[in-house]
């Protein structure tokens, strides 16, 4: 990806914050979704939003290729990158599914657990169900940030069996080394801005979970947590089978399994991402032959704004979808204005 930021948007912090808040996400109307609630094998549920086409396709229409988008930490189908990918899918005539991790669809889930960065079993279950519902069509999956790490973790865990569910996968701004990313977000400007932003939603949702399941964790310890490290130590790690934060960050990271991936996989990491230190990024000799690394100098964390003020965020989705489509045997067109900064 040869991304060049516009002159009015210098630096990784601005390239992260501005696109999420102000840049255009779509080139047409805001995408509409149809929501399905799926019961999980353990008695819980997730909500999956499907791109709605107006007018609806006739029953005799050929099945559409499917793009699956996994969101990041505390994201949803309405995150800026989710709407940009859905807008792209609509332009290309693809179906698009946007699964929500547990508790991220606007309603707290039922089970005494939530979601985490290495939730590869959940990824595998979702993709297998989508493949079953969309047989015989290209199926491409992209994960953003946390969703990207979980997606690559799944692809590495199952190896050649991943091809039964997907034709190609991509991860954008995934914290492949969770310890490096976790420590980065806990320092300086990141701690004051992004850490606080995540804690404002994570802590209330954890308290809702405690209300559902009294005694699940130490309420006082949760309320004293001031960063993701402490939050993961009290909540995320023990609820999902990890000893503590260090164990969670180590065992859930996708980086050690990148050489085990056996389907086409694109890994996009800007080198100025405030959440993902450049020194922690994988090098070519650390990944398998099925993995392509894109590590542009700029882009921030899921930013990639292009064009004139206020910019748009379609440069990255267009580039990623073009790569995925090529591996899935599809033709796709990229907007001219999306190709340049």
């Amino acid at each position: 990806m040869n991304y060049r930021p516009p002159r009015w948007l210098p630096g990784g912090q601005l390239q992260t914050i501005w696109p999420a808040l102000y840049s255009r996400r779509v080139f047409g109307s805001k995408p509409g979704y149809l929501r399905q609630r799926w019961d999980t094998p353990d008695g819980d549920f997730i909500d999956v939003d499907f791109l709605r086409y107006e007018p609806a396709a006739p029953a005799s229409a050929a099945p559409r290729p499917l793009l699956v988008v996994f969101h990041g930490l505390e994201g949803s189908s309405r995150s800026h990158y989710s709407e940009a990918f859905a807008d792209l899918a609509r332009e290309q005539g693809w179906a698009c599914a946007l699964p929500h991790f547990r508790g991220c669809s606007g309603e707290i889930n039922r089970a005494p657990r939530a979601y985490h960065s290495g939730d590869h079993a959940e990824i595998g279950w979702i993709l297998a169900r989508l493949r079953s519902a969309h047989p015989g069509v290209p199926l491409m999956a992209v994960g953003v940030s946390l969703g990207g790490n979980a997606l690559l973790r799944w692809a590495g865990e199952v190896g050649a069996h991943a091809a039964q569910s997907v034709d190609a996968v991509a991860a954008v701004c995934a914290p492949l080394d969770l310890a490096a990313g976790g420590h980065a977000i806990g320092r300086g400007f990141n701690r004051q801005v992004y850490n606080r932003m995540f804690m404002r939603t994570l802590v209330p949702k954890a308290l809702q979970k405690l209300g559902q399941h009294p005694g699940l964790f130490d309420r006082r310890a949760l309320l004293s947590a001031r960063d993701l490290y402490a939050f993961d130590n009290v909540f995320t790690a023990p609820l999902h089978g990890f000893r503590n934060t260090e164990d969670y960050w180590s065992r859930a990271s996708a980086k050690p399994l990148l050489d085990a991936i056996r389907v086409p996989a694109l890994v996009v990491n800007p080198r100025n991402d405030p959440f993902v230190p450049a020194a922690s990024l994988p090098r070519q000799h650390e990944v398998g032959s099925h993995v392509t690394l894109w590590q542009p100098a700029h882009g921030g964390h899921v930013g990639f704004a292009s064009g004139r003020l206020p910019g748009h965020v379609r440069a990255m989705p267009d580039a990623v979808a073009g790569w995925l489509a090529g591996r899935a045997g599809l033709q796709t067109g990229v907007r001219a204005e999306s190709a340049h900064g």
Side-chain angles (χ1 to χ4, degrees), residues 301-315:
H301 189 75
V302 202
F304 298 101
S306 296
R308 298 177 180 177
L309 263 169
H312 60 78
V313 295
R314 274 285 300 276

Side-chain angles (χ1 to χ4, degrees), residues 3-4 6 8 23 304-308 310-313 315 337-341:
Y3 170 72
R4 300 191 303 273
W8 53 265
S23 289
F304 298 101
S306 296
R308 298 177 180 177
H312 60 78
V313 295
E337 64 261 47
S338 290
H340 306 286

